[in-house]
Amino acid sequence: MRAFPIMACLALSACATLPPDAPPAALTPAFDPLAFFAGRTEGRGRLTIAFHRGVAILVHGSGTIEPDGAIHLTQAVVVDGKPPTRRDWRIARSLDGTYRGTLSDARGPVTVIARGNRLHIRFAMAHGLSAEQWLVLEPGGQSTLNRLTVRKLGVVVARVDERIVRVPQGAAMSYPPAQPSVAASIAVAAPVSR
């Protein structure tokens, strides 16, 4: 009878240490974040914050390749119809073929790893939050599924599930971009909990 509580604790601790369910990788199409985010993109999805109902999220992106080969991606994030906030990414390819980056919402460097059709992004945020994103490039290479998970002390506090599409040149935006003076905050505007 004493073995049951110990077995139950071991089973529960094993569940707590399982890695997040990463999407399966495919070899093609290969996910090159510089190529995908160059130009315009739009994301539509759902933001869920722990103990709150989910809300719509829209993200308009504009990416420019800089002279050093890195991409500067500016995003206008619209949550539940509120005024947009601005986020700025910079992602560069390293000599070894991996990527490194920065993000206006991050506290420190951004880790970016591409494997097959998947992109795995991790970064620390303010208030002891950590963010992890999995993007899966869909066949044809013009859209990707994005799941952003935000944790505090290992507990999921917010999640975004989103589909991002490349916008053809000359196509109209579905909502206005953020003004440069608007401060960005993915901690408030981006994650979703399960």
Side-chain angles (χ1 to χ4, degrees), residues 26-125:
L27 294 177
T28 59
F31 203 136
D32 177 350
L34 307 182
F36 183 83
F37 288 105
R40 294 182 17 199
T41 55
E42 284 190 359
R44 295 178 179 275
R46 193 132 194 95
L47 161 67
T48 305
I49 297 174
F51 310 113
H52 293 83
R53 67 176 178 82
V55 296
I57 183 169
L58 301 171
V59 181
H60 172 259
S62 178
T64 305
I65 301 295
E66 297 178 338
D68 66 355
I71 189 166
H72 176 222
L73 173 63
T74 299
Q75 295 178 315
V77 181
V78 180
V79 178
D80 201 24
K82 294 185 174 94
T85 58
R86 179 177 165 152
R87 302 173 64 205
D88 287 286
W89 295 79
R90 186 174 192 284
I91 299 174
R93 191 181 326 266
S94 299
L95 292 175
D96 63 1
T98 62
Y99 299 91
R100 64 189 184 289
T102 60
L103 170 62
S104 55
D105 299 341
R107 299 295 178 255
V110 175
T111 302
V112 181
I113 299 171
R115 286 206 180 99
N117 69 333
R118 296 184 309 173
L119 193 66
H120 186 206
I121 302 173
R122 298 177 70 147
F123 54 94
M125 300 170 66

Side-chain angles (χ1 to χ4, degrees), residues 133-169:
Q133 280 181 268
W134 285 98
L135 293 95
V136 178
L137 191 61
E138 295 183 303
Q142 298 302 302
S143 60
T144 183
L145 300 176
N146 175 33
R147 169 166 281 179
L148 169 72
T149 304
V150 176
R151 292 181 173 82
K152 174 111 179 169
L153 301 172
V155 177
V156 174
V157 295
R159 178 165 288 137
V160 169
D161 288 295
E162 170 190 31
R163 184 166 190 260
I164 304 168
V165 297
R166 292 178 46 80
V167 177
Q169 191 170 6

